[in-house]
Structures are given as structure tokens and as C-alpha cells.
Amino acid sequence: MEKYSVLMSVYYKEKPEYLDLSIKSILCQTIKPDEFIIVEDGPLTNELNEVINRYLNQNTGIFNIIKLKKNGGLGHALNVGIKASRNELIARMDSDDISLPERCEKQLEAFKADPELSIVGTQIDEFIDNPDNVVSSRIVPTDNDGIIRFARRRSPFNHPTVMYRKSDLLRLKGYQTSGRKEDLDLFIRMVNNGCKAINLNEALLLYRSNEDNLKRRKTWRNCSEYIQIMFGFYRKGYCGLIDLLYVTFGQLALFITPTGITKIINKKFLRK
């Protein structure tokens, strides 16, 4: 089975107990990573450093800790980690989510079964407070054609679940480093530039959800950046005018609609 790296970015606002569970879930994979890259996006708190140092001391030779002098944003931190990776296959991991034990093994099996794949994601189960309290799931298309169609309006992957090829990321110059939609931008560029993709048809990651997630999505900055990115892709022919209008009016509605109504729409139409 091919070796792989795990890539995580951490910044000072993360909670130590969440980071602890996240790192542990990767070290408990049925096929352990050959390398675990943690990019410290600016100085961390003592509590976060204690968590990282504890795992570092207990797992010799696996961790590659990269310390950035200042916080430069997720896209920049991930680009630094990608370039530092010693393996072709890189598994993304967020610092507050939990990967199920067989996640990476099943993704490696998909790459082995189809060497032409550039990116393999999975479904996610979203939980609040306790991992046993699963409240919803985000379901994305599983086949390459469905992913390309889905990408005309929404991100076709659950970002924390993806495993992708370093060579393709470098060819496309990685994540954008401005704005907050670095994953949406990257994924749409990938699937429209010859990167074959699939999503496994099972939830292999537990995604930590709360009301703050919805609040961030409802900000004007978030909504306007989404529209700007899709307008840029419309000009490149990655989506049609109807798709652009759908995204534009959808994001404007998200911004102006009261939070209570947005929760109902999100639960009824965007989650299962």
C-alpha cells in the first residue's frame, strides 16, 4: 500500500481538547500515515503546544512540525505544508474533526484501484458537542461526472475528508491565499483541469458543527466571496449563466434571511 502524508493547519484559536481528539483519530488509522505535517499558522497558546509536543514525543519520526512566524490564513498554511510533503498522496485533516479508523485505508484502496485518480473525498456526519450526537450529514456526488456537475454551483467535496495528489496541487499552484473560499476555488479548478475525482459513498469523518458555522456563512464577506469566485469561473466557462444566477441569488438570500429560517432551509434542502 502506498505511503501517504496527513496535512493539518493549527492556529491559536483552536481548542486543545479538539486538537487532541483530531490528532488521535489520525494516529489510530488502520493504515497509519508515513508523515503527519502540522503547520502552526502563527504562534500558538501554551495549551496547544502542550498537545502537539506530547504527541511529538510519543511518535518519533512521523511528525513534521512547521512553525510560521505569523498567521497567514489557511490557504497559505496548506500550501507550505503541501510543498514540504515527502509523499505524493496527502490526506487533509482539520484540527477539530475526527477521522474514522478506516478513512485513509479506504481512500488508499481507491487510488490503488484507479491510478488516474487525483482526489478522493468522503461523505461526512456532522455532530454537535459530542461525536455520538450526529445531527446531519453532508452528501456529495460519488462519480466524476456528478462531481463536475455539482461543482457548477457548490463545492463537490467535504474539504476535511479529501486525499489528493501533490503533483496535481503543485501543477495548479495550490490554494488561493486571499479570501476564505480557498477550498471551493481549488476544487473547482481541479475538476475542470483534468483531475479525475470521486467521493466514497460513506461518511468516514465526523465534522464538528455549531451555530458559529452558520453565522460565518451568513456574513457579507463570505457570501460576496462565493459570488466573486463563481463569477470568475463563469467567465472561464466552468459554469453557465443559470448556475451563476442560482449562486448569486442563493447567497444573497442566505445573507438577508433570518437565522431561524436559514436553519430550516439548511436542514431540509442542504443536509440529510
Side-chain angles (χ1 to χ4, degrees):
M1 191 66 72
E2 189 168 355
K3 294 180 179 180
Y4 71 101
S5 300
V6 171
L7 174 58
M8 175 187 289
S9 173
V10 183
Y11 82 127
Y12 75 98
K13 289 186 178 181
E14 305 290 357
K15 292 189 176 182
E17 60 270 28
Y18 294 172
L19 176 63
D20 192 351
L21 289 174
S22 182
I23 294 176
K24 183 179 180 180
S25 75
I26 289 297
L27 296 178
C28 288
Q29 290 295 297
T30 51
I31 295 182
K32 290 182 172 55
D34 173 65
E35 177 185 43
F36 196 153
I37 302 168
I38 296 181
V39 181
E40 297 182 3
D41 192 9
L44 303 181
T45 63
N46 291 334
E47 292 78 10
L48 290 169
N49 281 320
E50 287 175 3
V51 172
I52 293 173
N53 290 333
R54 172 161 48 84
Y55 281 108
L56 181 62
N57 294 332
Q58 294 172 353
N59 299 271
T60 306
I62 294 180
F63 283 93
N64 178 6
I65 310 299
I66 302 173
K67 299 177 182 289
L68 303 182
K69 292 183 179 180
K70 61 179 182 179
N71 180 276
L74 180 60
H76 173 68
L78 295 180
N79 285 341
V80 171
I82 290 165
K83 292 176 182 177
S85 171
R86 64 187 180 214
N87 293 307
E88 167 71 352
L89 294 180
I90 303 173
R92 269 285 291 120
M93 185 63 191
D94 276 349
S95 56
D96 57 354
D97 297 329
I98 300 171
S99 283
L100 298 187
E102 294 184 338
R103 173 202 157 183
C104 292
E105 179 178 2
K106 291 185 175 182
Q107 289 177 301
L108 289 171
E109 289 174 348
F111 278 104
K112 184 177 180 180
D114 186 353
E116 293 183 358
L117 285 173
S118 295
I119 179 169
V120 176
T122 84
Q123 316 301 327
I124 60 173
D125 284 337
E126 299 171 321
F127 71 95
I128 295 178
D129 298 329
N130 189 311
D132 293 328
N133 183 29
V134 173
V135 295
S136 60
S137 300
R138 183 172 189 260
I139 306 301
V140 285
T142 56
D143 64 286
N144 190 64
D145 290 341
I147 286 170
I148 293 173
R149 289 193 300 271
F150 198 83
R152 294 171 185 165
R153 298 182 179 182
R154 298 174 62 196
S155 175
F157 300 99
N158 294 307
H159 189 200
T161 74
V162 299
M163 181 181 285
Y164 37 31
R165 292 192 180 277
K166 176 179 179 178
S167 56
D168 287 318
L169 295 171
L170 295 180
R171 174 172 64 88
L172 294 172
K173 304 188 185 304
Y175 291 87
Q176 69 172 12
T177 55
S178 61
R180 299 181 180 181
K181 291 294 181 180
E182 60 282 313
D183 56 329
L184 174 68
D185 172 80
L186 174 66
F187 295 150
I188 294 179
R189 283 190 287 117
M190 289 186 75
V191 300
N192 283 282
N193 282 278
C195 293
K196 187 177 181 181
I198 64 169
N199 283 302
L200 302 180
N201 195 26
E202 57 182 315
L204 293 173
L205 180 134
L206 297 173
Y207 179 86
R208 193 177 297 276
S209 181
N210 54 50
E211 289 195 3
D212 289 339
N213 293 341
L214 182 58
K215 289 178 181 178
R216 284 194 294 270
R217 288 170 54 203
K218 282 180 64 64
T219 63
W220 175 244
R221 178 179 177 181
N222 184 81
C223 293
S224 62
E225 285 183 0
Y226 201 132
I227 294 170
Q228 289 170 12
I229 287 174
M230 297 309 295
F231 178 71
F233 288 138
Y234 165 73
R235 295 181 66 180
K236 292 181 179 180
Y238 295 169
C239 66
L241 179 59
I242 298 299
D243 301 310
L244 177 62
L245 293 174
Y246 178 93
V247 169
T248 300
F249 287 110
Q251 290 300 308
L252 291 175
L254 175 65
F255 178 66
I256 64 176
T257 302
T259 301
I261 296 177
T262 304
K263 286 182 181 179
I264 295 173
I265 295 173
N266 184 68
K267 185 174 181 179
K268 187 176 181 67
F269 297 104
L270 303 181
R271 296 294 188 272
K272 290 186 179 180

